[in-house]
Amino acid sequence: MDTQDQHGRPAAPPAPPPTPAPRPRRSRRPLRPLLAAGAAALALTAGLASPLNPAPQQAEAKDDGGKKVLTVAVAQSVDSLSPFLAQRLLSTSLHRLTYEYLTNYDAKNNRAIDGFATDWKPSADKLTWTYTIRDDSTWSDGKKATAEDAAWTFNKVMSKEGTATANSNFVTNFKKVTAPSPTKLVIELKKPQATMAALDVPIVPKHIWEKVDDISKFNNDKDFPVVGNGPFILTDYKVDQYVRFKANKSFWRGAPKFDELVFRTYKDQDAAVSALRKGEVSFVAGQPALTPAQANSLQGAENVKVNEGPGRRFFAIATNPGARTKDGEKFGDGHPALLDKRVRQALFLSVDREAIVDKVFQGNAVEGAGYIPPRFSDYAWKPSADQQMTYDPKKAARLLDEAGYKKNGDGKRVGKDGKPLDLRILCHATDPNDKAVGKYLKEWWGDLGIGLKVNCLDDVSVPWYAGEYDLAFDGWSVNPDPDFVLGIHTCAALPVKAKESAATDNFICDKKYDELYAKQLAEYDPAKRADIVRQMQSWLYDSGYMNVLAYPNAVEAYRTDQIKSITTMPTTAGNIYGQDGYWSWWSAVPADGKSSSKDGSSTGVIIGIAAAAVVLVGGGVLFALRRRSTAEDRE
């Protein structure tokens, strides 16, 4: 999930709670000069109201009765508007606008601050957490929002009645959740859990959701407006066309200044950039970032500002380790050669990450290594000189020979059964980076004698969940706390049934990794926890299951004649789109100019969030935004 800058009285985390420290965010591209990015960020935040005092914002929409409309061009599709089911970055970002979470993240330093709760503290043994729920939050239908709503939400996720797809990792260790009073929520744990100040679970209204017959099949997309208590109210939605919100005038933190927020879907990102240039949209984030060519085309354009900052995403190649269910049932058709660590490492060694950063991202990214981007410095990891797997085709060839895949007379690698080593890689059709890197892989692996089919699809989720792939382009937006993005590689994240959606990223299940995951979850000392998180990244790196190619910069653009100011996260040299919170859209101040995005009531707009998980620094929490059908789908 994504986090955003927030304001409000920071609730001091309980004595031992991990407090996220400032950190670099995970992203898919190398950062451009931070000096320039910092200057851009300062310009973006100039004139913004403080978190406690939102600045007035107005946007003129000529075709919408004088309403001030902020229109965001996005490429990703919504997988579900249900907080219990959604996994894509866009969807989870929409939920941050619709529903409050117990806590939020400060835009300046990712520290845990007030959300639906104003205070949280653990018992002496760290097994019971008590949250004070604010008494000034109401649902958009006028009913009071209380601790009972939060308890019902967590208990519903714990019930696993088809409700644990999105946020099961947060409640796996929960023993009991109760609401002794309207302003008191109590969570009892089986064992200590360091992420209790960063439970990124949208709290839903009990009186609405308890009427749903089967939550596992309910997408929350039939009755509008959707009842929520966030800064915006979801008023309309059309599949792959738009998502429309109106400002919540009763939001406890203060109403947004734009009357409406619309997310319009563009499958062609060049068309989205063109729409920005024409003033038809207010903001464009790219897929999930603008390509160098797109960003360059906007430099110097009238009334357009390009923002670039350290990214919170990583861009990687995931290897299918053999799809299986929690009880060990195997399914899918992943290539058996990839079950051999030597083969996986050979593929790793035959990918030139430096060339990808230079030629594909054109310097707008940082070369990849660990699972968590350098933006989150407290958790970031790099391999030692002896451990590092740099581009070395000769060593890769030796490993393939050792694994029994030697070249035949035609230069093709063949197994002992005489069959050629031909692989498939899932590619997001809307992501130009996937396609560009795919061409390099065909060349590099072809030189080794390995065949590669780049399978680009609009929606990769079907073959992915079915385990019908060998490799896949992967990427997540990292949250301030790394728990979520690390949890998607545990055995507990595997699906209950074959081919059904689940929290798992690519079916990794390993006893040692699970042991490390459990240790970091229970460790309250920030330094010790960070060390365990680095050990987990080291394991992922050595296994060859995840080859992190790059951390892309966040490159996006907006119209200055429609948006006067907007908060980045972090506030200095940060991103606007896909934050860990709702700061950008909630803080946006309309420009005074006459021009504004045109969005007729009949057309609607969809907002897509381009990031995928965000990491909370310090003792913070890593919350990964999910993405599958596009490059920005999963954090």
Side-chain angles (χ1 to χ4, degrees):
M1 303 203 141
D2 66 328
T3 55
Q4 285 188 347
D5 202 358
Q6 144 169 330
H7 36 258
R9 179 179 71 76
T19 293
R23 40 60 178 173
R25 266 213 178 153
R26 150 196 116 152
S27 150
R28 279 195 176 177
R29 305 174 168 133
L31 310 174
R32 284 199 176 171
L34 285 183
L35 192 56
L42 289 174
L44 285 171
T45 54
L48 279 179
S50 71
L52 293 174
N53 264 319
Q57 18 186 23
Q58 299 177 342
E60 299 177 0
K62 296 179 181 178
D63 296 342
D64 214 0
K67 292 181 180 178
K68 306 180 188 316
V69 182
L70 172 57
T71 305
V72 179
V74 299
Q76 191 177 53
S77 298
V78 173
D79 55 342
S80 176
L81 289 178
S82 166
F84 296 101
L85 306 177
Q87 291 187 296
R88 292 179 185 167
L89 175 58
L90 168 58
S91 306
T92 56
S93 297
L94 298 178
H95 293 148
R96 280 201 173 274
L97 302 175
T98 308
Y99 306 102
E100 273 281 44
Y101 294 38
L102 287 181
T103 60
N104 211 321
Y105 301 103
D106 192 303
K108 300 181 183 66
N109 57 18
N110 292 310
R111 184 163 62 98
I113 60 175
D114 288 18
F116 193 43
T118 60
D119 186 52
W120 46 96
K121 60 184 65 173
S123 58
D125 62 4
K126 312 295 189 304
L127 292 177
T128 300
W129 282 74
T130 301
Y131 298 80
T132 300
I133 302 302
R134 63 175 55 261
D135 60 5
D136 58 350
S137 178
T138 58
W139 297 110
S140 53
D141 62 0
K143 294 186 180 296
K144 187 82 171 178
T146 70
E148 187 176 2
D149 295 301
W152 188 89
T153 299
F154 284 113
N155 278 306
K156 184 55 65 173
V157 178
M158 292 166 64
S159 74
K160 298 182 180 179
E161 300 169 2
T163 59
T165 300
N167 301 304
S168 60
N169 66 299
F170 293 113
V171 305
T172 301
N173 186 40
F174 285 15
K175 181 180 180 180
K176 185 179 181 182
V177 182
T178 58
S181 75
T183 59
K184 185 177 181 180
L185 177 73
V186 179
I187 300 178
E188 298 177 35
L189 305 172
K190 300 172 186 175
K191 55 187 177 181
Q193 181 169 323
T195 63
M196 297 304 287
L199 299 174
D200 291 322
V201 178
I203 305 302
V204 303
K206 175 186 175 182
H207 66 283
I208 297 295
W209 284 81
E210 66 182 354
K211 299 174 184 177
V212 177
D213 293 330
D214 187 351
I215 291 183
S216 67
K217 298 179 180 179
F218 179 65
N219 283 316
N220 197 27
D221 58 359
K222 302 301 180 185
D223 298 322
F224 297 98
V226 172
V227 177
N229 63 342
F232 291 91
I233 300 170
L234 205 168
T235 59
D236 197 11
Y237 165 64
K238 290 292 184 296
V239 178
D240 286 341
Q241 294 182 49
Y242 64 85
V243 179
R244 182 186 290 275
F245 290 85
K246 69 178 180 180
N248 183 356
K249 303 298 183 181
S250 300
F251 185 51
W252 68 270
R253 191 167 256 125
K257 302 312 172 189
F258 275 95
D259 298 310
E260 291 190 356
L261 175 61
V262 184
F263 305 110
R264 180 182 298 163
T265 302
Y266 284 87
K267 291 301 182 182
D268 183 334
Q269 287 303 286
D270 286 334
V273 170
S274 177
L276 179 78
R277 191 180 288 108
K278 296 174 183 177
E280 295 173 353
V281 298
S282 315
F283 180 95
V284 62
Q287 175 59 32
L290 297 177
T291 65
Q294 290 168 343
N296 290 338
S297 73
L298 293 172
Q299 293 288 357
E302 185 178 4
N303 297 322
V304 172
K305 185 173 187 61
V306 176
N307 176 60
E308 180 170 3
R312 43 172 273 187
R313 295 184 62 78
F314 64 77
F315 178 62
I317 297 174
T319 305
N320 184 348
R324 56 190 142 168
T325 62
K326 286 184 179 180
D327 61 7
E329 178 190 351
K330 296 180 180 180
F331 62 94
D333 60 2
H335 201 296
L338 297 177
L339 300 179
D340 191 321
K341 182 177 179 179
R342 292 168 297 183
V343 175
R344 298 194 301 270
Q345 290 188 336
L347 296 177
F348 205 137
L349 289 163
S350 52
V351 175
D352 190 341
R353 293 188 293 280
E354 183 178 352
I356 288 173
V357 167
D358 291 341
K359 297 179 180 180
V360 176
F361 293 104
Q362 297 182 30
N364 297 323
V366 173
E367 188 175 331
Y371 202 62
I372 296 173
R375 172 168 170 171
F376 303 100
S377 58
D378 285 357
Y379 294 116
W381 169 88
K382 286 186 177 182
S384 64
D386 292 339
Q387 183 183 16
Q388 189 172 13
M389 286 185 275
T390 55
Y391 183 55
D392 191 341
K394 291 183 179 179
K395 184 175 180 179
R398 290 197 298 271
L399 285 174
L400 289 171
D401 286 342
E402 292 175 10
Y405 292 92
K406 297 184 178 182
K407 283 188 175 181
N408 62 15
D410 297 325
K412 289 282 297 180
R413 293 276 172 183
V414 295
K416 295 178 181 179
D417 56 4
K419 294 182 179 180
L421 182 54
D422 292 326
L423 302 173
R424 305 157 298 169
I425 186 167
L426 284 176
C427 157
H428 302 87
T430 54
D431 192 339
N433 297 321
D434 283 12
K435 296 176 181 178
V437 174
K439 292 180 180 179
Y440 281 105
L441 296 181
K442 286 177 69 74
E443 178 183 340
W444 292 329
W445 292 349
D447 289 341
L448 278 176
I450 299 173
L452 180 67
K453 178 182 179 181
V454 181
N455 190 14
C456 293
L457 305 172
D458 287 332
D459 184 354
V460 302
S461 62
V462 174
W464 202 314
Y465 283 131
E468 296 171 353
Y469 68 98
D470 300 323
L471 305 116
F473 286 107
D474 198 5
W476 287 83
S477 294
V478 179
N479 269 28
D481 186 291
D483 179 68
F484 181 88
V485 101
L486 297 175
I488 58 179
H489 294 310
T490 61
C491 298
L494 293 174
V496 174
K497 297 179 180 179
K499 299 186 179 184
E500 75 174 7
S501 61
T504 186
D505 181 32
N506 62 316
F507 305 103
I508 292 175
C509 176
D510 180 86
K511 181 179 179 181
K512 181 178 179 180
Y513 183 87
D514 274 16
E515 290 174 349
L516 289 172
Y517 175 78
K519 286 180 64 177
Q520 68 81 28
L521 183 62
E523 181 56 69
Y524 276 81
D525 182 280
K528 291 180 179 179
R529 183 173 183 234
D531 181 64
I532 300 170
V533 169
R534 294 190 190 97
Q535 292 179 49
M536 297 176 73
Q537 294 179 78
S538 178
W539 184 91
L540 281 171
Y541 183 89
D542 289 341
S543 73
Y545 287 132
M546 296 294 298
N547 184 354
V548 179
L549 304 179
Y551 311 111
N553 288 354
V555 186
E556 52 204 0
Y558 68 98
R559 291 197 63 90
T560 56
D561 57 350
Q562 295 181 28
I563 302 174
K564 179 180 181 180
S565 60
I566 191 167
T567 298
T568 62
M569 184 176 187
T571 50
T572 55
N575 59 289
I576 297 171
Y577 188 67
Q579 297 178 354
D580 294 294
Y582 41 65
W583 310 124
S584 55
W585 314 125
W586 173 84
S587 72
V589 178
D592 297 327
K594 296 180 180 180
S595 177
S596 71
S597 61
K598 301 177 181 179
D599 177 51
S601 309
S602 61
T603 305
V605 183
I606 180 171
I607 183 169
I609 305 295
V614 176
V615 181
L616 198 84
V617 258
V621 178
L622 168 65
F623 190 91
L625 302 190
R626 295 81 170 200
R627 81 185 222 0
R628 285 246 180 194
S629 74
T630 70
E632 65 184 292
D633 275 0
R634 311 184 312 165
E635 355 224 310

